Amino acid sequence: MAGFFKSLIQRFTKPDIDWDELEASLISGDLGPRLALQIVADLKSRQRTLHGADIVQVAREHVRKILPESVPALEPIPGRPKVLLIVGVNGTGKTTSTAKLAHLLHRRGHKVVLAAADTFRAAAVEQLTVWSERLQIPLVKGPPNGDPASVCFDGYEKALKTGADFLICDTAGRLHTKHNLMEELKKIHRILGRKDEESPHEVLLVCDATTGSNALQQAREFNKAIPLTGVIVTKLDGSGKGGVLVAIQQELSVPTRFIGLGESVDDFQVFDSKRFVDELL
Ligand code: GDP
């Protein structure tokens, strides 16, 4: 993203700005059409001698206003497990992020249980099994093609029985059966609600930064089926600009909570909006 804004500065150094080109550039930076239009309108209304640095400054002000200064921390609930449902499209980094988040909480001294609720994809269950063994974090899984809601239910029982602070459920993400997927998530929500009516306490959508504005569309669809409480943006170590997290916050008021910066379990951070804006521009 930083590179993107540097290139903006270099390209728009003259007062005679090509507004369409500027708008297209902002959209291609994944900030989304709505914010791009607002920034362009703001710049037009300030018709002074504009140059690249002004554009960056105006864009920065807009992004700052949209992103919350801090994000809610993941604190345990006394006496019962806090349930985190990890949702998202296959390939975005859902299973890896589930393991990374479990590792982060485990390192903070919390007791964690994992539930492999993507029962339709043997590879996902195998992958989570490997992570659970490597990280020494207990995993609950069901039979192949079993009911994902029942895996989450069993996960909850185990977490409760063993006094775990967190239950993290990795869910399925097959897009070609979108209707079924969304119904499955609603069912998981219902079944977990039977154990604790506030559960799942967090529903975190995993988005791949390299897919650009597709992530906004995914956030809209998941949020319709099951209200999201946060986003995990992955692959920010790649070519992804991450601007889409600003668009998701602006349109859906869903904050980014964590970011993924690589394939290793430690390549994971709590999202820091100040740092993001500073690095962005
Ligand atoms: P899922 O299908 O959504 O569960 O996705 P996976 O967790 O299996 O991840 C898909 C691929 O993305 C794997 O090769 C991961 O190692 C990789 N991956 C996940 N998160 C990141 C990240 O933050 N950065 C990079 N570079 N790769 C990631």
Side-chain angles (χ1 to χ4, degrees):
M1 197 81 192
F4 164 67
F5 278 99
K6 258 187 217 129
S7 78
L8 264 189
I9 296 178
Q10 281 153 11
R11 278 167 48 215
F12 297 99
T13 48
K14 291 188 217 108
D16 54 334
I17 285 174
D18 179 338
W19 295 108
D20 290 340
E21 194 192 347
L22 174 60
E23 190 184 311
S25 298
L26 290 167
I27 292 173
S28 76
D30 297 337
L31 288 176
R34 188 166 147 202
L35 183 54
L37 279 172
Q38 281 171 3
I39 294 173
V40 168
D42 191 359
L43 284 164
K44 279 183 179 169
S45 74
R46 299 185 194 202
Q47 281 281 6
R48 292 176 272 125
T49 44
L50 282 167
H51 52 78
D54 291 326
I55 294 170
V56 172
Q57 197 46 38
V58 170
R60 178 183 264 169
E61 282 165 25
H62 278 269
V63 172
R64 263 212 195 103
K65 260 188 253 160
I66 291 167
L67 296 180
E69 271 178 34
S70 60
V71 291
L74 279 186
E75 296 297 342
I77 311 171
R80 61 201 163 114
K82 180 172 255 187
V83 181
L84 318 178
L85 207 59
I86 311 298
V87 303
V89 170
N90 282 345
T92 52
K94 202 161 15 77
T95 304
T96 312
S97 299
T98 300
K100 287 174 171 179
L101 184 54
H103 180 58
L104 181 135
L105 293 169
H106 190 62
R107 257 191 346 206
R108 285 184 185 168
H110 298 305
K111 207 165 166 185
V112 181
V113 169
L114 288 166
D118 185 355
T119 55
F120 293 92
R121 224 165 34 119
V125 180
E126 275 163 32
Q127 200 184 330
L128 208 55
T129 306
V130 171
W131 281 118
S132 102
E133 285 165 4
R134 208 183 289 171
L135 302 172
Q136 302 275 296
I137 295 176
L139 172 74
V140 172
K141 45 189 173 182
N145 298 320
D147 179 8
S150 108
V151 176
C152 293
F153 188 90
D154 292 348
Y156 190 93
E157 299 262 273
K158 172 148 184 129
L160 192 64
K161 216 184 284 170
T162 57
D165 303 302
F166 291 95
L167 168 67
I168 311 181
C169 307
D170 182 26
T171 63
R174 30 189 213 295
L175 250 199
H176 51 287
T177 50
K178 205 155 55 187
H179 175 72
N180 290 349
L181 173 62
M182 297 306 170
E183 289 308 311
E184 183 179 299
L185 289 175
K186 287 184 200 169
K187 183 175 173 195
I188 292 176
H189 197 287
R190 260 195 331 269
I191 298 290
L192 281 170
R194 280 192 206 154
K195 303 296 296 176
D196 169 352
E197 60 181 25
E198 288 168 8
S199 167
H201 305 92
E202 299 278 359
V203 182
L204 302 175
L205 174 74
V206 179
C207 291
D208 176 343
T210 61
T211 64
S213 58
N214 278 346
L216 174 61
Q217 187 51 30
Q218 289 161 15
R220 284 185 188 128
E221 288 180 20
F222 277 93
N223 195 45
K224 240 189 279 163
I226 183 165
L228 303 173
T229 61
V231 173
I232 299 175
V233 181
T234 61
K235 310 190 192 179
L236 275 173
D237 51 310
S239 60
K241 297 166 181 128
V244 73
L245 71 87
V246 184
I248 293 175
Q249 174 74 57
Q250 188 184 30
E251 185 179 317
L252 303 172
S253 300
V254 179
T256 292
R257 308 279 289 274
F258 298 94
I259 54 172
L261 297 155
E263 297 193 58
S264 130
V265 77
D266 289 307
D267 296 328
F268 195 67
Q269 289 173 6
V270 171
F271 178 64
D272 177 340
S273 67
K274 189 174 173 308
R275 194 163 148 195
F276 176 77
V277 177
D278 287 349
E279 283 177 9
L280 182 83
L281 306 161

